[in-house]
Amino acid sequence: MDGSFDDEAEPSVVTIKEYLDEVEERELAADLVLGGDDGKECTYSKGYMKRQAIFSCLTCTPDGNAGVCTACSLSCHDGHEIVELWTKRNFRCDCGNSKFGEFYCKLFAGKDAENIENSYNHNFKGLYCTCGRPYPDPDAEEQVEMIQCCLCEDWFHEEHLGLESSDEIPRDDEGEPLYEDFICKACSEVCFFLKLYPEVIWASGKQPDATVEVSKNKGVLEDMPPVGDASSSSSHNSPKTDDAKAIISESISGGKDMLQGGNCDSSKDLSQCTSSTNMHVNCLLGVNIVAASPVLNSKPMFLSKNWRDTLCKCNNCVEFYKLKRIAFLLDKEDSIAEYERMAKQKREEKLQEAEGAEVNFFNKLGHVEKVEILKGIEEMKDGLRTFLESADSSKPITEADVHQFFDDIKKKRRRLQ
């Protein structure tokens, strides 16, 4: 077969450090996806979690209308056809509910018939992107990484993002992404109001090409008193940049610029754009985004680090977020960056606990047991040193050599006993 199968192919060679680094990298990657979940308990009792790793079992629910937590994927669906969905927001484990027929959850049996707040898309069938292809794709010559939209949480191939060129994706010289969040073309229509913000929220430093139309007499946001307090009122503090002006049509009578106040420009840090005082009263945009409407030729968005911190939190904008079901953007714990940060923190805590448990275990041992353990460690070190010194430096150490090394140690221990 044109030499495709070579019986004498040499095994790959790695150093011990490379091997240990690879193990550490894989464990970290798993922890980042699982969020520090050890997979021992069903998460159903925790309710609709802000974010967790979710799996779809096509053996039990081939229609892709259910998702299960990490523990259930391991305990209840071992050996089944499982689709790894990475993470999903506001999701509650479905394992064993009415969607699974006679199948019951082994870890938490008393579940409601259905989790009405769960959302599902074609990812649960193992399909992704606008092309609706699986991942890995059996028909693809090369498997390429996809980008996840932070709103709909679907995954997209670069060539299907709606960009003229993949060079438009913000990356550094090493090809690593410069953006924290991505919003797909379809979801960008809902988030048209982001084009009213300063350029600092864009990973590329430039706003996507599109405009926002504001209907007459509704473009200027009226003073919005806090809920239940009709007597409260205040003036508007809003962003004022040339780009922001350009993307808003001057449809207000008299051609008055709607972006008034000028307390935020593109040269300032994001944290300076959102005043901590009166943040629930003053609108940063000075525009009624409920009345505004996007032009249909929208483009995908790439957002910079901490871009969510600058979102306006006035009553009107918050109501708009709720209306469009994107209020989760105001929740810091919703972001993947925060999810991974918390996962790393949990991982470090577990490693410290494990190290402390080992020390405590050793300290509780008697003098004889401690001496035996230390003696065993020294024997291992001496044996490994002898093994490496006697090995042929011109040849790599194979898996068989390593097995032989440990077999020799076991035989030595038996002789001593």
Side-chain angles (χ1 to χ4, degrees):
M1 297 291 289
D2 299 327
S4 299
F5 300 95
D6 189 354
D7 295 335
E8 298 181 359
E10 294 185 2
S12 59
V13 179
V14 295
T15 65
I16 293 178
K17 183 180 184 306
E18 289 174 339
Y19 173 75
L20 294 177
D21 287 345
E22 182 180 354
V23 171
E24 173 69 17
E25 184 178 341
R26 289 182 178 180
E27 290 180 350
L28 176 58
D31 281 341
L32 292 182
V33 174
L34 301 179
D37 186 356
D38 56 14
K40 295 180 180 180
E41 297 181 0
C42 176
T43 60
Y44 180 84
S45 61
K46 298 179 181 180
Y48 293 91
M49 296 180 64
K50 290 184 177 181
R51 186 167 291 282
Q52 66 171 315
I54 292 296
F55 303 79
S56 175
C57 180
L58 297 183
T59 302
C60 297
T61 55
D63 292 335
N65 61 342
V68 302
C69 67
T70 301
C72 288
S73 71
L74 298 173
S75 298
C76 305
H77 302 273
D78 182 33
H80 293 189
E81 184 180 356
I82 298 293
V83 177
E84 300 179 17
L85 301 175
W86 200 29
T87 68
K88 295 292 181 182
R89 68 166 57 90
N90 192 41
F91 202 94
R92 196 176 196 182
C93 181
D94 285 320
C95 181
N97 66 15
S98 61
K99 297 181 179 181
F100 289 79
E102 299 299 322
F103 182 90
Y104 290 97
C105 178
K106 299 177 183 178
L107 303 179
F108 198 109
K111 296 181 179 179
D112 293 339
E114 189 174 345
N115 295 315
I116 59 176
E117 293 186 28
N118 283 357
S119 296
Y120 312 91
N121 60 11
H122 66 168
N123 294 170
F124 287 78
K125 296 181 180 180
L127 305 176
Y128 307 89
C129 190
T130 55
C131 62
R133 296 295 302 169
Y135 184 88
D137 190 338
D139 296 332
E141 295 182 0
E142 180 182 359
Q143 304 299 331
V144 295
E145 292 186 0
M146 293 188 287
I147 303 176
Q148 187 183 38
C149 173
C150 68
L151 264 68
C152 66
E153 298 190 297
D154 195 3
W155 294 81
F156 299 86
H157 300 100
E158 290 183 7
E159 62 267 30
H160 300 149
L161 295 180
L163 300 173
E164 294 182 4
S165 169
S166 59
D167 293 337
E168 296 181 52
I169 301 175
R171 294 191 178 96
D172 60 19
D173 295 336
E174 302 297 326
E176 294 298 318
L178 293 172
Y179 56 91
E180 180 172 279
D181 279 324
F182 161 75
I183 298 178
C184 70
K185 183 177 180 180
C187 292
S188 68
E189 294 183 10
V190 178
C191 293
F192 68 91
F193 59 90
L194 292 177
K195 303 182 184 75
L196 303 178
Y197 284 86
E199 287 189 355
V200 286
I201 74 168
W202 307 107
S204 60
K206 182 180 179 181
Q207 301 183 43
D209 297 329
T211 60
V212 176
E213 296 176 348
V214 184
S215 52
K216 188 174 182 179
N217 298 326
K218 294 183 180 180
V220 177
L221 178 62
E222 298 295 330
D223 288 349
M224 298 291 294
V227 176
D229 185 3
S231 62
S232 300
S233 64
S234 62
S235 59
H236 301 298
N237 293 320
S238 43
K240 183 178 182 180
T241 64
D242 293 338
D243 291 86
K245 293 177 185 178
I247 60 175
I248 300 179
S249 60
E250 297 183 357
S251 58
I252 305 303
S253 57
K256 183 178 180 181
D257 188 353
M258 293 175 292
L259 297 183
Q260 304 172 15
N263 75 323
C264 181
D265 56 57
S266 59
S267 64
K268 292 185 178 181
D269 185 78
L270 287 178
S271 59
Q272 295 177 277
C273 297
T274 305
S275 173
S276 59
T277 60
N278 299 326
M279 64 186 296
H280 297 289
V281 179
N282 297 344
C283 180
L284 296 175
L285 302 178
V287 173
N288 187 346
I289 59 176
V290 176
S293 59
V295 171
L296 295 180
N297 59 340
S298 55
K299 297 187 67 175
M301 300 175 173
F302 297 91
L303 290 308
S304 64
K305 184 179 180 181
N306 299 326
W307 68 276
R308 299 184 187 213
D309 294 344
T310 196
L311 292 178
C312 180
K313 300 175 181 64
C314 75
N315 292 334
N316 192 71
C317 287
V318 169
E319 285 302 314
F320 176 82
Y321 305 150
K322 292 179 180 179
L323 178 66
K324 298 299 182 179
R325 303 184 69 179
I326 57 173
F328 53 79
L329 292 177
L330 299 179
D331 187 351
K332 184 178 181 180
E333 293 183 11
D334 172 79
S335 70
I336 293 295
E338 181 64 15
Y339 177 83
E340 293 185 343
R341 187 195 68 78
M342 295 175 65
K344 288 180 180 179
Q345 181 177 328
K346 290 179 182 178
R347 174 179 172 79
E348 292 174 358
E349 292 173 353
K350 286 182 179 179
L351 292 175
Q352 291 176 358
E353 290 177 1
E355 183 177 348
E358 292 170 356
V359 173
N360 291 335
F361 172 77
F362 185 79
N363 290 336
K364 291 179 180 178
L365 296 175
H367 176 70
V368 176
E369 288 86 352
K370 289 180 180 179
V371 172
E372 285 293 323
I373 290 177
L374 294 176
K375 183 179 178 180
I377 293 175
E378 287 300 318
E379 289 178 353
M380 172 69 76
K381 290 170 60 178
D382 292 340
L384 183 59
R385 185 183 300 110
T386 302
F387 169 71
L388 294 175
E389 289 175 350
S390 62
D392 188 346
S393 59
S394 64
K395 298 179 180 180
I397 296 175
T398 65
E399 182 180 356
D401 294 331
V402 175
H403 284 300
Q404 185 62 48
F405 167 72
F406 283 104
D407 287 341
D408 292 342
I409 290 181
K410 291 178 182 178
K411 292 177 182 178
K412 182 179 179 181
R413 296 292 295 178
R414 293 194 191 100
R415 290 197 301 270
L416 293 176
Q417 293 173 355

